[in-house]
Amino acid sequence: MRCLLWVLLSVVLIVAGAHRMGTTAIRDAVSTALRPVQWVVDWPLSHLDQFRRAMMTHDALAVENRALRAQLLELQGAVQRMHAVESDNARLAALLKARLKLPGRVRAAQVLTVHSAPFVRQLMIRAGVADGVFEGQAVLDATGVMGQVITVGTHSSRVLLISDARHATPIVDHRNGWRGVVVGAHAEGTLALAHVPKTADVHVGDRLLTSGLGQRFPAGYPVGVVDAIHRSSNQAFSEVRVKPSAGLERSRWVLLVWPST
Amino acid sequence: MGVARVAVDMMAVRAWGWMMVALLCALWLTCLPMPHWARYARPDWVLLVLVCGVMVAPHAINVGTAWCAGLVLDVLLGTVLGAHALAMTVVVYVVWRAHRRLPVFHPIKRGLCLFALWVLYHTMVLWVQGGGFVLWSLSRVALPSLSSLLVWPWVCACMRLGQPLQRVA
């Protein structure tokens, strides 16, 4: 009898969660109580990382230093080109009498854990309310869009990756401006373009960028590259597989983006 | 009589305390990062502790404990609230009903029964996660079930260390 009561309570929670009826408060309360557990998990890992760095040999440090200097030089060259492009953009915007959008603030945050429960793609980052993080904030890495913040704690937050089946990202095809939506696919770490008509001008190799629609992700950031297209006569839409640009479950540092002014 | 009653109560408190410590350790192990190639082979530590706890000290674990542990797991892993709670409640109830018969089974038969329970657990979680559709995946069901089965005897042995009352019985 008691088992039946607990089963019924579970069903009530599941149905309430599906209809978004107050389960957020329960999740927040339990998450607050579990912060000591998450701190205990994080503490040895962060010290292990420091220990590993302290034990690096001089040669390894020299090699890493040279590689970082070369990468810095390349990035500085790219930044110089970007300044020129921004100036041109500002002049063109002034000609069209359009309001120029200034780039938003960014902040780096360390990835604490990656959650890989069945069909759940989330990660925890070391940044929270104390750092100005807010729900719905865009999260990127060095190469593309990672996801968005879904739960914010005091010093840590949970990020839903774009490869999660519950996430959808509005995109634009860089080649021809075609707009679509990228969703998380059930296959490991892949993305898929949703509801692509068979006549859509999408090719393998097309770069997909955020379109800015929905105002969650700033426009122009890489989401992925079209990897494969399968058109079947007995299906209404094409199946388009997309390879994500970001290292979704490999990145150890992420960038939090604030909206531009 | 009063002294004996106090001694029994102290042992019951100790058994419950040992279970809570074991559950915390299981939660810690659940959150530990795994290498990418082994991410599906993580044993179900929390369910292991609950199942072994029911078999070793059935008075210290009940279905309500399993439900609470499942809810905590739902929040930690970000799954649908109630998914692990439901699956753990069902599995722990089945084990609790059979906790006197399971130890006398042949080890292979016992292993097969536990493996079937773990498969049921993962199937239920996947069913809830899939919104009513069973998104069954062999790697996501068989691998954690097999790894749980491999470590189960050692987890049971660790659980027995903190249960002197069971030895006396």
Side-chain angles (χ1 to χ4, degrees), chain B residues 87-108:
Chain B
M88 276 200 194
T89 303
V90 170
V91 169
V92 167
Y93 177 71
V94 171
V95 174
W96 185 80
R97 290 289 297 224
H99 76 272
R100 289 183 199 280
R101 277 174 282 177
L102 274 173
V104 298
F105 280 177
H106 188 274
I108 293 176

Side-chain angles (χ1 to χ4, degrees), chain A residues 10 27 119-121 158 188, chain B residues 39-40 67 75 79 140:
Chain A
S10 305
R27 199 180 278 275
F119 308 107
V120 171
R121 295 283 174 266
R158 189 183 290 274
E188 187 51 43
Chain B
R39 64 196 180 285
Y40 294 136
W67 188 88
V75 172
T79 48
R140 285 168 179 149

